[in-house]
Amino acid sequence: VDSSTEAFILRLLRAENKACFVRAFSESPTAFTEGFSKLTNVMRSLRVRKLLLWPRFHASVSASLERNKPEVVELSVALPPAMPGIQQGVLEVVAECLAQLKRLNPGLDVQQFTLENSLFKSFDRMVQQQLDPIWHSLSPQTKQISRDLSTLRTLLSYLTQYDCVTFLN
């Protein structure tokens, strides 16, 4: 967290104004409860000494959010010419892996194993939850397909996150 963008911005802000007031919102407050002293570490890296937690439905928080509505700007950048082809190829391999997984394991509830669902972050966990109870009885091919699906999904996310040289490495 010390290297996060938020920590950097707060360091710049505090360098200019030592007594500034910081107000922050979290889309995932439960993430602060995971791990050992997660909240303490975040507070230390952001150099915040005092913490007040308020739910969004609290009257003062709700009023403040109504007065100061955020301005959301959405930017989209077109993919370079080769990327849609790479993306389509990886999606075809994912579809084939899902078809093999369904064919090799007819006893599984595979209705959720769709190409559309494979684009969600929770897909790997969903597949693992289905396979964990019977992992010891699965064929090596099924286990490999499960790992391949995870790797392919990582490749799909890297395709849009990294530049071409980093992606190739």
Side-chain angles (χ1 to χ4, degrees):
V1 177
D2 263 340
S3 63
S4 72
T5 306
E6 293 85 0
F8 174 71
I9 292 169
L10 281 175
R11 280 195 302 271
L12 288 176
L13 181 66
R14 292 261 164 87
E16 294 296 319
N17 183 356
K18 302 255 189 249
C20 67
F21 176 78
V22 176
R23 183 179 298 172
F25 298 95
S26 175
E27 289 296 323
S28 179
T30 55
F32 292 118
T33 62
E34 297 169 355
F36 183 71
S37 334
K38 176 84 175 201
L39 186 58
T40 306
N41 293 337
V42 170
M43 287 176 63
R44 185 177 305 121
S45 69
L46 297 178
R47 292 181 172 89
V48 175
R49 286 188 219 104
K50 186 177 178 183
L51 175 71
L52 299 173
L53 298 174
W54 298 91
R56 286 183 181 213
F57 57 83
H58 190 274
S60 63
V61 174
S62 183
S64 177
L65 287 173
E66 280 300 316
R67 276 193 315 271
N68 306 310
K69 292 190 184 242
E71 179 184 331
V72 178
V73 177
E74 184 176 339
L75 302 175
S76 67
V77 178
L79 293 175
M83 274 195 186
I86 295 170
Q87 196 173 41
Q88 184 62 35
V90 173
L91 286 172
E92 287 173 7
V93 175
V94 168
E96 183 57 34
C97 285
L98 289 172
Q100 283 184 3
L101 194 62
K102 291 175 185 178
R103 190 175 61 249
L104 290 171
N105 302 288
L108 283 179
D109 179 23
V110 292
Q111 289 180 349
Q112 297 175 339
F113 294 180
T114 64
L115 188 59
E116 291 79 21
N117 285 346
S118 72
L119 300 175
F120 294 111
K121 290 181 181 181
S122 61
F123 184 75
D124 288 334
R125 190 176 23 200
M126 183 175 54
V127 170
Q128 207 56 44
Q129 284 175 346
Q130 286 276 333
L131 298 179
D132 272 348
I134 56 170
W135 190 258
H136 64 284
S137 64
L138 293 175
S139 68
Q141 188 178 10
T142 300
K143 292 178 182 179
Q144 184 62 48
I145 290 171
S146 172
R147 287 189 294 269
D148 289 347
L149 278 170
S150 181
T151 302
L152 289 166
R153 286 179 25 73
T154 302
L155 279 175
L156 277 174
S157 69
Y158 286 175
L159 189 61
T160 56
Q161 289 177 3
Y162 298 121
D163 62 281
C164 58
V165 175
T166 306
F167 179 76
L168 183 61
N169 290 332

